[in-house]
């Protein structure tokens, strides 16, 4: 899901930000990823399922807002939120994967998960790229729809997991 960087440049251009500031803006966005270092504190206070759901809902909401916002400061703030929320979900995903695998072939299963994630990411990038050929708003809308699909799948996973634990 590296679509945020893919979308940064057209949004910045559309918002009137000079291209010479892209390096600085990219550094600022990477700083938001440092927030993930404190994700474990959030995870202690809020159940993993709730935190994951809140973060994905934030990403969905910000994607919807990005379709309509033209102010460059707000665009930067919105992308900062997306980058930070995404960065926090990464250690949560790793924790969930590690807790759900209890077989002898743990490394193989983690490799399969990574491969499936890369395939889905590649296909998502193709779909977002096609949508961006039409318009930036369509591409951001596709990102929102993909995020909604991700939320549905995550909620389904937690539902199935809860059912298995209760057996």
């Amino acid at each position: 899901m590296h679509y945020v960087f893919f979308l940064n440049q057209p949004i910045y251009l559309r918002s009137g930000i000079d291209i010479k500031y892209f390096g600085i803006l990219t550094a600022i966005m990477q700083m938001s990823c440092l927030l993930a270092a404190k994700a474990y504190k959030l995870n202690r206070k809020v159940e993993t399922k709730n935190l994951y759901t809140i973060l994905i809902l934030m990403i969905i909401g910000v994607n919807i807002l990005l379709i309509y916002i033209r102010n460059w400061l707000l665009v930067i703030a919105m992308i900062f939120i997306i980058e930070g929320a995404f960065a926090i979900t990464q250690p949560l995903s790793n924790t969930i994967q590690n807790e759900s695998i209890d077989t002898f072939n743990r490394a193989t299963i983690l490799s399969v998960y990574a491969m499936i994630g890369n395939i889905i990411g590649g296909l998502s990038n193709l779909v977002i790229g096609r949508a961006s050929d039409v318009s930036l708003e369509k591409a951001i809308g596709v990102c929102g729809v993909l995020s909604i699909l991700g939320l549905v799948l995550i909620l389904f996973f937690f539902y199935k997991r809860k059912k298995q634990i209760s057996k």
Side-chain angles (χ1 to χ4, degrees):
M1 291 193 83
H2 297 287
Y3 65 85
V4 175
F5 180 76
F6 168 74
L7 292 175
N8 283 355
Q9 292 178 356
I11 291 173
Y12 291 155
L13 290 173
R14 180 182 74 175
S15 300
I17 298 173
D18 194 330
I19 197 165
K20 66 184 177 184
Y21 298 114
F22 281 21
I24 295 168
L25 293 172
T26 301
I28 291 169
M29 294 310 141
Q30 292 303 311
M31 287 174 23
S32 72
C33 294
L34 294 175
L35 298 172
K38 301 294 181 182
Y40 70 93
K41 288 183 180 180
L42 281 172
N43 200 22
R44 284 184 193 159
K45 294 179 182 180
V46 183
E47 183 184 341
T48 303
K49 175 189 172 192
N50 293 339
L51 180 58
Y52 215 107
T53 303
I54 290 167
L55 292 169
I56 299 298
L57 285 171
M58 282 175 48
I59 291 171
I60 292 167
V62 169
N63 271 316
I64 292 168
L65 289 174
L66 277 174
I67 293 172
Y68 303 104
I69 291 179
R70 300 290 189 264
N71 179 297
W72 66 273
L73 284 174
L74 290 175
V75 168
I76 291 171
M78 297 292 166
I79 295 172
F80 190 85
I81 291 168
I82 290 174
E83 288 280 346
F86 181 70
I88 293 170
T89 62
Q90 293 310 298
L92 293 176
S93 296
N94 292 339
T95 301
I96 292 167
Q97 285 179 1
N98 285 324
E99 289 174 356
S100 66
I101 301 170
D102 58 358
T103 66
F104 179 73
N105 296 327
R106 180 181 184 78
T108 304
I109 293 173
L110 287 172
S111 295
V112 170
Y113 281 174
M115 183 177 61
I116 291 169
N118 288 336
I119 291 169
I120 291 171
L123 293 173
S124 298
N125 284 337
L126 287 172
V127 172
I128 294 166
R130 286 287 180 200
S132 70
D133 289 342
V134 176
S135 75
L136 183 60
E137 289 78 12
K138 296 269 190 248
I140 296 170
V142 168
C143 291
V145 169
L146 290 173
S147 297
I148 291 169
L149 177 62
L151 177 63
V152 168
L153 292 173
I154 289 164
L155 292 175
F156 180 72
F157 168 79
F158 281 115
Y159 172 76
K160 294 279 281 183
R161 186 174 172 194
K162 184 178 179 180
K163 230 175 154 179
Q164 286 177 343
I165 291 172
S166 65
K167 284 184 179 180

